[in-house]
Amino acid sequence: LFERFLNPERVSMPDIDIDFSDDKRDKVLSYVREKYGRESVAQIITFSTLSARAVLKDVGRVMGVPLNTIAELTSNIPVIMGRVTPLKEAMLLPEMKDVLNKYKQDDRVQKMLEYALVLEGFARAASKHAAGVVITPGDISNYVPLYQAPNEPEAVTQYTMKDVEDAGLLKMDFLGLRTLSIIDTTLGMIEQNHGVKVDIDDIPLDDKKTYDLFGRGDTIAVFQFDSRPMQNYMRALKPSNIEDLSSMNALYRPGPMEHIPEFIERKHGRKEVEYLHPKLEPILNETYGVIVVQEQVMRIARDLANFSLAKADEMRRAMGKKDLAKMDAMKDVFIKGCVANEIPDKIAKELYDRLAKFASYGFNKSHSLAYSLVAYQTAWLKANYTAEFLAANMTHEMGAADYIVQLIDEAKKFGIALLPPDVNHSQVLFSATPTAIRFGLAGIKNVGEKALSGIVGEREKNGPFKSVFDFTSRVDSRAVNRRAVESLIQAGAFDSTRPEGHPLKRFRSDLNASVERAIDYGSQAPEHDSLFGEMDDAFRKEPPFIQAEIVWTDDEILTNERNVLGFYVSGHPLEKHRIDVQSFSSHTLAELDELKLDEQVFVLGVITGIERKLNKKGEAFGVITLEDFTGKRECIFWGKEYRDFAGLITIERPIAISGRVKKNGTSETATIVTSQAMSIETVRSSKTRGVVIKLESNGEQPEQVIDSLKAVIKRYEGNRTTYVVVEDPTLGESRKYILPQAYKVSGDDDFVAEIEARFGKNKVLYCR
């Protein structure tokens, strides 16, 4: 509805937010400056203010208060949903009162608190707003004052966003949206790999593969739909059109979320679609009788109460701002209009109250539908060009190691391998084939931009590198130094040059031992060539590898990869324990941020970092980094637990941890306070009561599928109950069976291996 954006009765200017690819936003700003004149365009200032924590640190530092005293005070000021609790509120908290009593007689601390209470909320620094832009009809300095920041080429307004609007100027937000860049990158890869030029604005909006992907909840990396709760909602909803996606987008936010279960039940006919009055059906039938967006509020006011759309928007804004005086006045007009349309007074009152409740937190369809279209586009790319889409995401999320780990695991679920970086095959960024994603050279630590362009440029010009010696003799040694070569070796980037019959572990170890020899060989090549023209045969002969005294183990190879790439690529130390992780973990590590404080968790992972620390009393405690297939988290072992489980706390060890979720400081990142720890082997032996086998019928009767299992089961007799789940993909349903006592199994690794060899991977789980 256009009136939702602009109408004659709207007092404030419309809010214009425009999303551009985040790597092209600067081009848009340059275009606007050229079109309207540099003197008529400016970005908007913003001020960072002194929070309770910041003001104590700043005032305390000026007054010479000891840093440990300041830290003791600031650590007791909670951060809730990213908001630092105001100092006045924090001082009333029991834990803060204890600390304040401790410093009651300290005049300096008391003065610090007195000054901090006054200064809290004051502007601390000026900077440029991330998105805000104003365009004026003439020289901008005739309308608002300007501020020239040091080392900034362009001036910004001295007025903040709100003040700019009060001054009568139209504020616009030019936002950089990474998703649009990811789409662009994916389209480029598709054209390169398949010779197909996809017009993303012309893809079919009824693609079955895309809606199947939504219905399975396979929405990691799908714009707006990749959170864990949203994945679960998608599995329940099984959306069938863009309107379903738009409705979920609008409902998935504080307030409307309570209506999601009702929306899902009504869509699937498990709950009757009801309307307070028949005249609501044309307005609400698209959303199964549930009010979902603000435009529906406006249409109800127009169609049932005879409001103009401008008046309806005014009512919506009054409800949204909880302007009680205006709402009371409009309620009478609304009810009279409904009664004039033969709607009973009682129903009109109830309807108005429902609208008022919804409008206080409702979302607008223009936004939810636009974003849902972008979401659909990303899902379409994932469903139809999975490798290219995930590779593009990895390219644009290269700095977020935890998210890359999730994307790697997602690729494996789709049968797409992640190939390690390779000097002969990798591009600078991630690239894709239909069945694999190739790691980009830019993801390797210690390999700079000059080295990257030098490696790829030389390879494209003169062909693949035959060996590490050929490599060092052809690339610029000033760009590709010893450290870079070592990192390339540890990342596995020279594996394609491995001579036949040279085992991988021995090859990487020998390469690492030969780095100095390779660097020396490379540094002599240009000089020798420049002095004597063509190199003679003696110089062309490469030196032999130095044989390493100690050959890297499988675990050391993986550790080296993680050290230079940030995560495991060619394998994972947990891979042999994947069934245990999937069976016994209460949550993946990536899910912990979404949990409530103090929620109990049981997680399995591998230890990739250990820190020994001392508390204020000088007692030792440990902080380990635990990593699973989805990411990593810190786990704290306080004194007693640190002593009790010291034997389990070793680097690269798979471990199971029970504990509670904690969130500290300004970060919303969850940590685990450990109460219990055990080896993964102990978990399987002590907690497994049964084995679940998941199979597909593929047109057979479920009983026939089970019969084909029985022969295998009989060879692995044991004491664990066997459960079979037979899924029928054509019907989208499954049947569960408990096999008789005679078919109890051992559930050991050999049993799992044979089941997976016969029926496919990931078919077995343990149950408690």
Side-chain angles (χ1 to χ4, degrees):
L1 299 176
F2 184 78
E3 286 81 356
R4 168 66 184 80
F5 171 70
L6 187 64
N7 65 68
E9 295 179 42
R10 180 169 182 145
V11 178
S12 60
M13 295 297 278
D15 188 20
I16 301 176
D17 294 356
I18 317 174
D19 292 301
F20 299 98
S21 299
D22 63 349
D23 56 359
K24 296 185 175 70
R25 182 174 171 275
D26 288 344
K27 291 183 178 180
V28 178
L29 286 168
S30 297
Y31 166 79
V32 170
R33 289 190 183 108
E34 289 300 315
K35 181 172 180 64
Y36 297 103
R38 304 188 79 81
E39 71 285 347
S40 295
V41 177
Q43 289 181 259
I44 298 170
I45 204 167
T46 186
F47 297 101
S48 59
T49 56
L50 287 162
S51 69
R53 288 183 166 195
V55 76
L56 285 175
K57 287 176 184 176
D58 283 1
V59 173
R61 187 172 61 250
V62 171
M63 294 181 65
V65 177
L67 292 177
N68 60 339
T69 301
I70 299 169
E72 195 174 356
L73 288 161
T74 56
S75 64
N76 283 290
I77 299 174
V79 180
I80 302 166
M81 299 293 286
R83 172 183 173 266
V84 182
T85 303
L87 185 54
K88 203 168 186 178
E89 286 179 34
M91 289 171 73
L92 299 174
L93 298 172
E95 56 270 30
M96 189 64 153
K97 282 183 176 178
D98 292 341
V99 180
L100 293 174
N101 284 333
K102 181 178 171 182
Y103 294 105
K104 205 169 186 179
Q105 305 304 319
D106 190 323
D107 289 341
R108 254 192 321 184
V109 171
Q110 294 307 310
K111 279 288 182 188
M112 177 182 73
L113 291 166
E114 182 187 334
Y115 297 151
L117 284 166
V118 174
L119 294 171
E120 184 183 9
F122 275 36
R124 189 174 193 269
S127 58
K128 186 166 56 180
H129 189 273
V133 177
V134 288
I135 304 170
T136 55
D139 192 322
I140 199 162
S141 60
N142 292 333
Y143 297 87
V144 291
L146 298 177
Y147 167 72
Q148 183 71 56
N151 306 317
E152 283 285 346
E154 304 288 344
V156 296
T157 65
Q158 282 191 37
Y159 288 179
T160 61
M161 281 197 301
K162 185 178 183 308
D163 297 329
V164 160
E165 290 186 278
D166 290 344
L169 299 184
L170 175 64
K171 181 267 306 179
M172 288 183 276
D173 282 349
F174 290 0
L175 299 150
L177 185 61
R178 185 174 299 172
T179 300
L180 299 179
S181 303
I182 290 169
I183 289 173
D184 281 349
T185 302
T186 307
L187 297 178
M189 286 190 197
I190 292 168
E191 187 171 2
Q192 185 177 347
N193 291 349
H194 302 275
V196 177
K197 196 164 180 131
V198 174
D199 181 352
I200 199 65
D201 294 316
D202 196 35
I203 59 174
L205 297 181
D206 57 356
D207 182 58
K208 184 177 185 303
K209 282 176 74 175
T210 303
Y211 287 111
D212 286 348
L213 181 139
F214 275 114
R216 295 192 307 270
D218 286 337
T219 51
I220 287 177
V222 172
F223 181 57
Q224 298 276 294
F225 288 85
D226 76 340
S227 71
R228 302 283 168 174
M230 187 62 104
Q231 290 172 37
N232 293 332
Y233 284 136
M234 286 292 103
R235 291 185 191 105
L237 178 67
K238 302 203 179 305
S240 51
N241 51 56
I242 285 284
E243 285 73 22
D244 282 350
L245 299 178
S246 176
S247 296
M248 281 300 293
N249 217 335
L251 288 170
Y252 187 68
R253 55 200 71 250
M257 282 182 81
E258 65 185 58
H259 300 296
I260 291 177
E262 174 99 356
F263 181 84
I264 292 171
E265 291 297 295
R266 290 187 175 195
K267 173 179 169 62
H268 293 294
R270 295 189 288 266
K271 199 164 185 179
E272 189 180 347
V273 177
E274 296 176 323
Y275 302 98
L276 196 58
H277 191 274
K279 288 187 177 180
L280 291 172
E281 185 172 354
I283 302 168
L284 301 180
N285 62 354
E286 183 183 278
T287 54
Y288 316 110
V290 178
I291 301 173
V292 170
V293 290
Q294 294 170 351
E295 284 85 346
Q296 288 174 320
V297 173
M298 293 169 62
R299 285 182 61 195
I300 289 168
R302 179 191 66 184
D303 295 353
L304 275 71
N306 297 327
F307 279 37
S308 67
L309 280 176
K311 196 77 177 169
D313 185 57
E314 189 183 348
M315 181 191 84
R316 175 202 62 77
R317 279 186 289 118
M319 290 173 169
K321 292 179 180 178
K322 296 184 173 64
D323 186 336
L324 298 179
K326 198 168 226 179
M327 283 171 64
D328 286 343
M330 286 196 149
K331 184 173 184 177
D332 291 337
V333 180
F334 180 89
I335 292 168
K336 284 176 185 173
C338 288
V339 170
N341 277 331
E342 299 180 352
I343 297 168
D345 182 85
K346 184 182 176 184
I347 290 177
K349 286 177 181 174
E350 186 179 343
L351 179 57
Y352 187 86
D353 290 340
R354 283 192 191 181
L355 295 180
K357 184 183 176 187
F358 171 80
S360 64
Y361 50 62
F363 203 60
N364 56 308
K365 188 175 182 181
S366 49
H367 192 159
S368 67
L369 189 60
Y371 266 22
S372 294
L373 182 60
V374 176
Y376 179 88
Q377 290 172 345
T378 58
W380 185 89
L381 290 170
K382 184 176 181 181
N384 292 279
Y385 296 96
T386 313
E388 287 81 4
F389 176 71
L390 292 176
N393 273 273
M394 290 177 187
T395 288
H396 288 276
E397 300 287 356
M398 200 174 281
D402 281 3
Y403 192 54
I404 293 274
V405 170
Q406 288 186 58
L407 293 172
I408 291 170
D409 201 46
E410 186 73 355
K412 287 178 182 173
K413 287 179 191 173
F414 281 82
I416 294 166
L418 181 69
L419 304 175
D422 191 311
V423 292
N424 283 330
H425 299 287
S426 289
Q427 300 300 319
V428 172
L429 303 173
F430 286 86
S431 53
T433 70
T435 58
I437 294 169
R438 174 70 70 179
F439 201 100
L441 295 174
I444 306 173
K445 292 175 185 174
N446 308 317
V447 182
E449 284 184 32
K450 282 188 178 178
L452 297 172
S453 55
I455 294 167
V456 176
E458 170 59 29
R459 183 184 75 208
E460 289 176 350
K461 184 179 177 184
N462 296 312
F465 301 104
K466 298 180 182 66
S467 68
V468 70
F469 300 106
D470 182 38
F471 177 85
T472 56
S473 68
R474 287 167 55 186
V475 298
D476 186 349
S477 59
R478 290 167 298 184
V480 187
N481 57 24
R482 178 195 176 112
R483 201 172 174 199
V485 174
E486 286 175 337
S487 293
L488 287 164
I489 291 167
Q490 290 172 27
F494 287 105
D495 287 358
S496 61
T497 69
R498 178 165 60 102
E500 193 175 338
H502 200 153
L504 179 62
K505 287 184 277 191
R506 162 61 69 183
F507 176 67
R508 286 201 196 176
S509 306
D510 291 349
L511 269 184
N512 199 57
S514 306
V515 169
E516 195 67 50
R517 182 173 287 182
I519 295 291
D520 288 345
Y521 177 83
S523 64
Q524 293 170 31
E527 181 183 348
H528 192 100
D529 195 22
S530 63
L531 285 172
F532 304 106
E534 289 295 318
M535 291 186 285
D536 58 32
D537 289 342
F539 187 81
R540 284 179 183 279
K541 189 175 181 183
E542 294 178 359
F545 289 118
I546 295 174
Q547 288 214 338
E549 293 181 15
I550 299 174
V551 178
W552 290 345
T553 64
D554 288 332
D555 285 345
E556 284 172 330
I557 281 179
L558 291 176
T559 300
N560 288 332
E561 285 181 9
R562 182 174 52 77
N563 288 341
V564 295
L565 300 175
F567 35 83
Y568 303 105
V569 173
S570 63
H572 199 291
L574 276 182
E575 195 58 52
K576 55 192 171 191
H577 301 290
R578 183 179 281 271
I579 183 174
D580 302 288
V581 175
Q582 292 174 337
S583 300
F584 299 113
S585 295
S586 64
H587 303 83
T588 67
L589 295 180
E591 291 172 335
L592 298 187
D593 291 344
E594 295 162 13
L595 302 183
K596 295 174 184 173
L597 207 61
D598 286 329
E599 189 161 340
Q600 186 74 34
V601 295
F602 186 75
V603 293
L604 284 73
V606 60
I607 298 173
T608 57
I610 302 170
E611 274 189 275
R612 183 179 182 275
K613 296 186 175 184
L614 298 176
N615 64 16
K616 293 171 187 174
K617 296 178 181 176
E619 298 166 337
F621 68 97
V623 179
I624 72 161
T625 302
L626 191 72
E627 188 163 334
D628 69 3
F629 299 112
T630 67
K632 56 190 174 189
R633 284 292 179 272
E634 286 189 343
C635 303
I636 301 168
F637 286 74
W638 292 121
K640 181 180 182 303
E641 289 75 19
Y642 188 49
R643 293 189 297 273
D644 290 348
F645 305 116
L648 293 172
I649 304 173
T650 54
I651 205 77
E652 302 298 332
R653 176 162 192 160
I655 191 173
I657 284 174
S658 179
R660 294 190 178 278
V661 171
K662 294 291 181 186
K663 295 178 184 178
N664 299 317
T666 56
S667 173
E668 287 295 302
T669 302
T671 58
I672 300 172
V673 175
T674 307
S675 57
Q676 186 75 29
M678 62 184 79
S679 68
I680 284 184
E681 293 77 14
T682 304
V683 175
R684 186 190 293 191
S685 61
S686 65
K687 294 186 180 292
T688 305
R689 297 289 175 267
V691 178
V692 181
I693 304 168
K694 296 182 176 181
L695 301 175
E696 287 186 6
S697 65
N698 294 323
E700 300 174 274
Q701 290 298 315
E703 291 74 14
Q704 292 175 295
V705 179
I706 293 172
D707 284 342
S708 66
L709 256 184
K710 286 180 178 177
V712 178
I713 291 171
K714 269 299 184 185
R715 288 202 300 278
Y716 294 94
E717 289 184 1
N719 59 357
R720 290 174 174 134
T721 303
T722 306
Y723 302 86
V724 181
V725 178
V726 183
E727 296 175 340
D728 188 333
T730 56
L731 298 176
E733 59 183 35
S734 60
R735 295 186 186 181
K736 299 175 184 177
Y737 301 85
I738 302 176
L739 298 195
Q741 296 287 319
Y743 293 97
K744 282 190 170 185
V745 293
S746 62
D748 59 18
D749 288 337
D750 291 338
F751 168 76
V752 172
E754 184 159 346
I755 293 292
E756 292 191 337
R758 282 177 174 244
F759 301 102
K761 289 279 187 186
N762 300 318
K763 297 298 182 185
V764 182
L765 287 175
Y766 299 120
C767 58
R768 300 187 185 197

